[in-house]
């Protein structure tokens, strides 16, 4: 595997950008969230931040976008910090093999979500983080955590997206009420969903997001400050869940083509971790049939091929 210092990451990103430019606009934007439906589908940004401080970026990498389900990586990190391994009593660790908002599987399994990255699982994680706090306090804590990880105070929630999520999130409301009926939520549904909708509405650029994910590439330590965010073991376990569950029912395909832990969002973003090397973020709003960024996935496959980065081979 080539050393990151020996790679010309900027040249690699420039090549990827040029190769994919004719295809910008492919895929289908998430039109069920009105503010996302208005995003220019031809937007494309990508950033790589290495653990030794290199930053390479291309296209719209400095433009904030709605990170949506990518935020679930960070709420899981917070929940594990508060509750440790006890969270697995409430949510599983297995790939779902079903759509990210499926109710059928939830009913079959007694209201326990299959993993923390499908919607029902992330709603459960929001419930866990709420313990002893108001929704406003928890939402503030999540935003502060993101700012801390990225070392950037400009990160914020997009209020228009948060309002739209609350106004149109009928399926998520159904999932939450369904889990409540099984006794799987400790807090009022409206409080849990308030936290969930707001953390999904966080807006970040590719550069900010790649910086925020660095601790997962560096054994739990953020190189920006030298502070330990999680233990080495916990970082490995979060990466494992990203690899197996981070792209919903497209996780196996992503692992096959890219070979790195990743988490997607319907805003068109993907966060990827190259352990020991770098954190990568890509944004292209057009989605494939699994709800993952179409060109973002292709760009990451090209990056993995050019760098040799993979968890499956040295």
């Amino acid at each position: 595997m080539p050393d990151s210092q020996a790679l010309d990451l900027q040249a690699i990103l420039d090549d990827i950008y040029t190769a994919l430019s004719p295809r910008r606009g492919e895929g289908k934007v998430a039109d069920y969230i009105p503010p996302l439906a208005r995003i220019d589908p031809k937007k494309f940004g990508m950033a790589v931040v290495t653990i030794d401080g290199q930053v390479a970026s291309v296209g719209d990498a400095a433009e904030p976008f709605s990170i949506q389900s990518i935020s679930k990586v960070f709420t899981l990190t917070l929940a594990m910090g508060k509750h440790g391994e006890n969270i697995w009593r409430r949510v599983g660790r297995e790939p779902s093999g079903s759509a990210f908002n499926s109710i059928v599987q939830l009913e079959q399994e007694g209201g326990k979500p299959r993993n923390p990255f499908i919607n029902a699982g992330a709603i459960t994680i929001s419930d866990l983080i709420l313990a002893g706090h108001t929704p406003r306090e928890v939402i503030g804590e999540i935003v502060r955590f993101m700012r801390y990880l990225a070392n950037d105070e400009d990160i914020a929630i997009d209020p228009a997206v948060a309002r739209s999520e609350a106004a149109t999130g009928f399926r998520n409301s159904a999932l939450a009420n369904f889990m409540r009926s099984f006794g799987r939520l400790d807090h009022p549904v409206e409080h849990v969903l308030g936290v969930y909708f707001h953390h999904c509405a966080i807006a970040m650029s590719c550069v900010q997001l790649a910086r925020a994910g660095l601790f997962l590439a560096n054994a739990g330590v953020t190189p920006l400050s030298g502070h330990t965010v999680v233990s080495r073991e916990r970082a490995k376990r979060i990466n494992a869940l990203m690899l197996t569950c981070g792209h919903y029912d497209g996780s196996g395909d992503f692992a096959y083509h890219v070979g790195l832990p990743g988490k997607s969002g319907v805003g068109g973003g993907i966060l990827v971790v190259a352990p020991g090397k770098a954190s990568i973020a890509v944004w292209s709003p057009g989605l494939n049939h699994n709800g993952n960024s179409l060109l973002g996935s292709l760009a990451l496959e090209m990056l993995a091929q050019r760098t040799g980065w993979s968890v499956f081979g040295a």
Side-chain angles (χ1 to χ4, degrees):
M1 187 183 296
D3 185 80
S4 58
Q5 292 183 320
L7 294 167
D8 188 342
L9 292 170
Q10 188 60 55
I12 291 171
L13 291 194
D14 289 340
D15 287 347
I16 293 170
Y17 184 79
T18 300
L20 291 179
S21 283
R23 299 185 61 178
R24 283 164 61 189
E26 288 188 20
K28 186 176 186 297
V29 298
D31 55 7
Y32 57 89
I33 302 174
L36 300 189
R38 295 191 287 270
I39 300 296
D40 181 355
K42 293 189 176 181
K43 291 286 185 181
F44 181 91
M46 192 170 189
V48 179
V49 182
T50 66
I51 61 173
D52 57 9
Q54 294 181 68
V55 180
S57 64
V58 72
D60 302 302
E63 182 174 335
F65 63 91
S66 187
I67 68 169
Q68 292 293 310
S69 287
I70 301 171
S71 62
K72 297 171 183 176
V73 173
F74 303 99
T75 54
L76 172 63
T77 303
L78 285 171
M80 293 182 82
K82 291 173 182 283
H83 301 283
E85 294 295 299
N86 289 327
I87 69 168
W88 306 122
R89 298 175 184 172
R90 301 276 303 277
V91 63
R93 297 189 295 267
E94 297 296 332
S96 67
S98 301
F100 57 83
N101 58 0
S102 173
I103 294 178
V104 175
Q105 190 173 67
L106 196 60
E107 180 170 23
Q108 291 173 338
E109 299 181 1
K112 181 179 180 179
R114 187 69 71 89
N115 67 68
F117 293 149
I118 55 174
N119 290 17
I123 290 168
T124 299
I125 294 296
S126 293
D127 185 57
L128 284 163
I129 298 173
L130 261 172
H133 300 281
T134 67
R136 182 182 294 273
E137 289 169 343
V138 172
I139 292 164
E141 180 185 13
I142 295 167
V143 173
R144 286 192 299 275
F145 186 51
M146 301 305 295
R147 290 173 174 172
Y148 160 71
L149 291 175
N151 194 27
D152 193 327
E153 292 296 313
D154 290 336
I155 294 166
I157 289 167
D158 183 329
V161 173
R163 284 193 300 270
S164 183
E165 298 245 20
T168 61
F170 305 115
R171 178 67 70 96
N172 288 320
S173 295
L175 290 169
N177 279 291
F178 200 68
M179 288 188 289
R180 180 82 171 182
S181 75
F182 276 100
R184 294 283 186 175
L185 294 183
D186 295 331
H187 300 88
V189 165
E190 59 271 22
H191 290 184
V192 179
L193 288 175
V195 172
Y196 177 76
F197 290 142
H198 279 81
H199 76 64
C200 285
I202 292 171
M204 297 173 71
S205 70
C206 290
V207 173
Q208 290 171 327
L209 189 55
R211 285 187 172 135
L214 267 179
F215 76 99
L216 293 171
N218 195 45
V221 177
T222 175
L224 300 178
S225 65
H227 295 157
T228 297
V229 180
V230 296
S231 68
R232 176 186 294 268
E233 189 66 26
R234 186 162 289 170
K236 285 163 55 178
R237 288 177 169 175
I238 295 169
N239 285 336
L241 287 165
M242 289 172 70
L243 184 76
T244 56
C245 308
H247 280 72
Y248 311 119
D249 44 338
S251 297
D253 194 62
F254 187 82
Y256 181 85
H257 287 285
V258 179
L260 293 167
K263 182 72 199 81
S264 65
V266 295
I270 304 175
L271 171 66
V272 165
V273 176
K277 301 292 181 181
S279 175
I280 306 109
V282 63
W283 173 48
S284 177
L287 309 178
N288 62 20
H289 66 283
N290 288 321
N292 303 315
S293 175
L294 178 62
L295 291 193
S297 299
L298 289 172
L300 290 163
E301 182 177 2
M302 295 167 72
L303 179 73
Q305 289 171 346
R306 284 161 168 75
T307 58
W309 293 344
S310 172
V311 297
F312 296 115

